[in-house]
Amino acid sequence: MPQLVLKPGKERSLARRHPWIYATAIAQVIGTPGAGDLVAVLAADGRWLAWAAYAPESAIRARCWSYSETDRIDRNWLAARVRDAVARRARLAEQTSAMRLVYGEADLLPGLIVDRYGDQLVVQMQAPGVQAQREPLLDALCEATGCRDVFDRSDSALRAREAMTPQSGVLRGQEPAERIRIHEHGLAYWVDVRRGHKTGFYIDQRDNRRLAFELARELLATARRAPRALNAFCYTGAFSVALARGGARHVLSVDSSADALAMARSHVELNALDPASFQWQCADVFEQLRACRDASERFDLIVLDPPKFAASHHHVDRAARAYKDINLNALRLLEAGGLLMTFSCSGAIDVDLFQKIVAGAVIDAGVECVMRARLGASADHPMLMTHPEGEYLKGLLLQRV
């Protein structure tokens, strides 16, 4: 069995059950483990610490499977982890047909993402350890879910950091349909699992879309008029549909992708909504926010759900400026009493920093705001308490007073 011997003191993070072992923490590699191979992790004094999967080209040189020496990381062990993860999401079927079944480290399967859209599974294998165990994991997923069709979307930039080639295609069963219909809280959406962002849909925003629906209803009741809403970086318009169903009389949706907006328009018909309530704008969001400001437009409810601005800690300063810019201009568009749902999905921007950025935008906008709630990912994206890096999506609900 190959072994990784850590430098003195570097065993402390494993004692706290943090699952990542960085290359800089390793004093010696005993044996010649290949990518994805199982290794025993030892402290500098020889004490056994964990079983881990080796990644020879990654800054994260190993990801821990287990901290119990008696565990055997085999087909049965992997199947048990998959069954547990699927079982924890079982009750979500009452709300939606789209859910995350496996969320990497939070489900003790580091590097593995599995999303379900109806009877279609979509996987992302983002580390050598799960790639090496692909077939046992696929067997376990099909058995635990009863699904026969599995599509691979391991095409993200994360694989490059692991010296892994991006890949996409059918792993089990049939080719996915061009569009898969899903339901969520009484609304319907189309998902393109082959070409869409992530695995095709922003499953992580489920709870926040429901909140947007409720906030639109709240404004309708309190203001006694249908609110006017703006959905910036709207992608395929899921927030837009939720806002309109909640009672928004007019929803301006802005995105730079014409293809995404085309699918967004199809959601209006799919949900039997009035097309006159929607305005679709294919434009750069930064420029469109300024154009709305210059035109003195006002909105009662604004959603800012931008893409990842900071791919790593090297981009934090630039990302902070971008978040500040869009929030500043959105706040200037907000009616008195209006609501802003603002998000960041950049893992390198933590909760405290994001709140400081938005607070700076509030100050510069010269408005008074209260924070009504902190927002996060849906329940099927839990955060392992010993792995705070898993909390990538954070948001704030602000109200102008």
Side-chain angles (χ1 to χ4, degrees):
M1 174 66 65
Q3 298 175 337
L4 303 185
V5 182
L6 303 186
K7 296 175 181 177
K10 295 298 183 180
E11 75 283 354
R12 293 170 188 161
S13 66
L14 268 70
R16 296 192 295 267
R17 299 291 181 96
H18 191 284
W20 291 352
I21 301 170
Y22 288 94
T24 53
I26 299 172
Q28 183 183 9
V29 179
I30 300 174
T32 56
D37 284 353
L38 182 68
V39 296
V41 184
L42 308 180
D45 60 8
R47 286 180 294 118
W48 186 94
L49 298 172
W51 298 116
Y54 191 59
E57 303 296 328
S58 175
I60 304 173
R61 195 54 53 92
R63 288 172 167 82
C64 294
W65 290 116
S66 170
Y67 307 93
S68 174
E69 190 171 3
T70 59
D71 277 353
R72 292 294 174 260
I73 313 303
D74 56 15
R75 176 180 291 270
N76 291 333
W77 189 93
L78 294 167
R81 293 294 173 274
V82 169
R83 286 195 302 270
D84 289 347
V86 171
R88 281 191 287 272
R89 276 82 168 178
R91 293 197 62 181
L92 283 175
E94 300 170 7
Q95 305 172 14
T96 181
S97 60
M99 66 191 74
R100 176 147 295 180
L101 294 180
V102 179
Y103 183 39
E105 283 75 359
D107 288 301
L108 308 182
L109 291 166
L112 178 64
I113 301 296
V114 183
D115 290 338
R116 178 173 187 168
Y117 300 104
D119 292 328
Q120 176 73 56
L121 299 183
V122 185
V123 303
Q124 291 181 319
M125 298 190 177
Q126 300 173 339
V130 290
Q131 184 69 46
Q133 300 289 347
R134 188 181 78 174
E135 294 309 311
L137 287 168
L138 294 179
D139 289 343
L141 284 164
C142 292
E143 181 178 351
T145 62
C147 297
R148 293 177 293 181
D149 299 329
V150 186
F151 192 74
D152 192 0
R153 280 297 303 273
S154 301
D155 52 6
S156 73
L158 292 173
R159 281 179 68 98
R161 300 180 193 175
E162 307 291 324
M164 300 167 68
T165 303
Q167 57 189 37
S168 178
V170 175
L171 294 177
R172 297 283 173 93
Q174 303 297 313
E175 185 81 21
E178 281 288 322
R179 296 189 301 180
I180 297 172
R181 179 171 171 162
I182 63 165
H183 66 82
E184 173 188 288
H185 292 304
L187 294 169
Y189 301 103
W190 295 113
V191 179
D192 181 352
V193 302
R194 292 184 293 181
R195 293 175 292 271
H197 293 180
K198 295 189 174 181
T199 63
F201 195 67
Y202 292 141
I203 297 175
D204 52 3
Q205 288 282 25
R206 181 192 314 109
D207 295 347
N208 295 318
R209 284 188 288 269
R210 179 65 178 180
L211 176 60
F213 164 85
E214 293 170 350
L215 292 173
R217 293 187 67 180
E218 174 189 316
L219 289 172
L220 182 63
T222 56
R224 297 186 180 180
R225 61 178 175 83
R228 190 164 189 262
L230 167 64
N231 182 14
F233 307 97
C234 71
Y235 187 43
T236 58
F239 270 111
S240 303
V241 169
L243 290 165
R245 178 59 63 85
R249 76 181 188 277
H250 179 269
V251 184
L252 171 60
S253 304
V254 186
D255 200 273
S256 60
S257 169
D259 290 341
L261 289 173
M263 185 173 284
R265 290 186 181 94
S266 73
H267 290 150
V268 176
E269 180 180 359
L270 186 62
N271 289 280
L273 296 168
D274 181 5
S277 298
F278 297 86
Q279 179 184 350
W280 308 99
Q281 188 72 41
C282 187
D284 177 276
V285 174
F286 290 85
E287 295 176 1
Q288 187 63 39
L289 289 173
R290 291 185 176 86
C292 289
R293 177 201 65 195
D294 294 343
S296 299
E297 293 201 53
R298 292 292 182 270
F299 299 92
D300 303 291
L301 209 164
I302 298 175
V303 177
L304 290 180
D305 186 22
K308 185 187 296 185
F309 286 159
S312 71
H313 292 283
H314 301 294
H315 305 115
V316 166
D317 289 344
R318 183 179 66 188
R321 290 192 294 272
Y323 286 120
K324 173 79 171 291
D325 187 31
I326 60 173
N327 281 279
L328 173 62
N329 284 304
L331 287 162
R332 288 170 171 165
L333 299 175
L334 200 60
E335 287 277 16
L339 297 160
L340 170 63
M341 300 176 73
T342 180
F343 299 96
S344 166
C345 64
S346 299
I349 304 288
D350 64 24
V351 174
D352 289 342
L353 176 56
F354 184 60
Q355 183 171 324
K356 289 176 182 176
I357 293 168
V358 176
V362 169
I363 293 167
D364 288 358
V367 299
E368 294 291 342
C369 282
V370 294
M371 182 175 69
R372 284 184 36 171
R374 291 187 175 91
L375 309 175
S378 303
D380 47 353
H381 294 65
M383 184 191 76
L384 184 67
M385 290 299 291
T386 56
H387 183 247
E389 294 88 344
E391 189 183 21
Y392 68 96
L393 180 65
K394 71 286 299 179
L396 301 173
L397 171 60
L398 304 184
Q399 185 162 30
R400 183 172 176 178
V401 296

